[in-house]
Amino acid sequence: GQNIDQPTEMTATEGAIVQINCTYQTSGFNGLFWYQQHAGEAPTFLSYNVLDGLEEKGRFSSFLSRSKGYSYLLLKELQMKDSASYLCAVKDTGKLIFGQGTTLQVKP
Amino acid sequence: DAEITQSPRHKITETGRQVTLACHQTWNHNNMFWYRQDLGHGLRLIHYSYGVQDTNKGEVSDGYSVSRSNTEDLPLTLESAASSQTSVYFCASSEGTSGRMDEQFFGPGTRLTVL
């Protein structure tokens, strides 16, 4: 079966660091994507990992451990505009399987 | 600039009616996807296509159909709308089937209400 787990909600303070975890059990694995989705809008691409390790892109970093079926998205220097849902998606044989998403609320 | 568009953006229909949601992309992408998004379920794949004349069923395909007659368009049809199909529908496209080329670009979404 296919299973991708993320926390439903998280709250953090402006300027802080937050880590959003994603665990997966899928029949195949060809990479992991993170998307950001603001309320009422379409998801937009944040990061892609296919090999173990950390990928850094500005304030956002994403980590992957294939042996553990685990990824996290790290957001640094949080800003109010980072309040959004963050979707973890595993690529399996050409299509993406999405988790339920984590809604992050950034407070002043 | 290349883009992906959906129409209509909002639709209210009645149970039993046939409804078609349009998706048009100018990226010249081979791959196109339809998802529905509901609270507590995230994005669930309905149908997808890897090229003209190719269509495949996704996780929640019952009650939906698609056809791909050209590269740019993948319309989604609800044969007989049901209240359970009230949802937000997203269309997406991607360039390839390997690595970063799998990045999917999403349309703005269609909010469908079935009364």
Side-chain angles (χ1 to χ4, degrees):
Chain A
Q2 317 279 42
N3 192 44
I4 300 175
D5 286 321
Q6 305 177 234
T8 303
E9 296 178 343
M10 299 183 70
T11 302
T13 303
E14 190 176 17
I17 299 173
V18 71
Q19 178 175 312
I20 302 174
N21 296 325
C22 172
T23 59
Y24 63 89
Q25 288 179 308
T26 56
S27 55
F29 180 86
N30 291 292
L32 188 143
F33 289 81
W34 284 95
Y35 282 81
Q36 181 189 57
Q37 185 178 25
H38 285 100
E41 298 183 8
T44 55
F45 171 83
L46 280 180
S47 69
Y48 171 70
N49 295 71
V50 65
L51 299 176
D52 291 351
L54 188 68
E55 294 280 343
E56 297 186 83
K57 189 190 298 183
R59 295 189 299 114
F60 292 56
S61 303
S62 56
F63 172 83
L64 175 66
S65 169
R66 290 172 296 171
S67 63
K68 295 182 179 179
Y70 169 68
S71 173
Y72 67 72
L73 181 68
L74 193 70
L75 292 75
K76 305 175 186 175
E77 302 170 13
L78 279 173
Q79 302 176 10
M80 298 300 294
K81 67 178 181 180
D82 297 329
S83 292
S85 289
Y86 292 87
L87 313 179
C88 172
V90 171
K91 183 194 164 190
D92 181 10
T93 60
K95 56 186 185 293
L96 296 183
I97 303 164
F98 284 84
Q100 293 185 17
T102 299
T103 299
L104 173 66
Q105 183 179 16
V106 180
K107 294 185 174 180
Chain B
D1 287 344
E3 60 177 356
I4 179 167
T5 57
Q6 295 183 233
S7 62
R9 295 294 312 279
H10 302 271
K11 174 77 175 178
I12 300 175
T13 191
E14 296 177 343
T15 302
R17 289 190 180 269
Q18 184 181 78
V19 176
T20 297
L21 308 183
C23 175
H24 179 80
Q25 53 99 1
T26 58
W27 292 96
N28 200 32
H29 285 166
N30 289 323
N31 308 327
M32 296 184 73
F33 308 85
W34 272 105
Y35 297 90
R36 61 177 290 175
Q37 188 172 39
D38 307 285
L39 281 174
H41 289 282
L43 283 164
R44 291 184 291 174
L45 185 63
I46 305 171
H47 282 286
Y48 58 103
S49 168
Y50 288 147
V52 176
Q53 301 301 331
D54 175 73
T55 61
N56 306 279
K57 294 181 178 180
E59 177 189 2
V60 290
S61 61
D62 287 349
Y64 303 94
S65 64
V66 293
S67 62
R68 187 91 180 270
S69 59
N70 58 52
T71 300
E72 297 80 16
D73 300 288
L74 187 70
L76 177 71
T77 297
L78 287 68
E79 303 294 344
S80 177
S83 57
S84 60
Q85 294 176 309
T86 293
S87 185
V88 179
Y89 291 84
F90 286 101
C91 179
S93 70
S94 69
E95 180 178 5
T97 57
S98 65
R100 173 67 194 275
M101 294 170 71
D102 285 332
E103 175 190 344
Q104 293 186 13
F105 296 82
F106 285 81
T110 294
R111 183 174 296 275
L112 177 68
T113 302
V114 182
L115 301 176

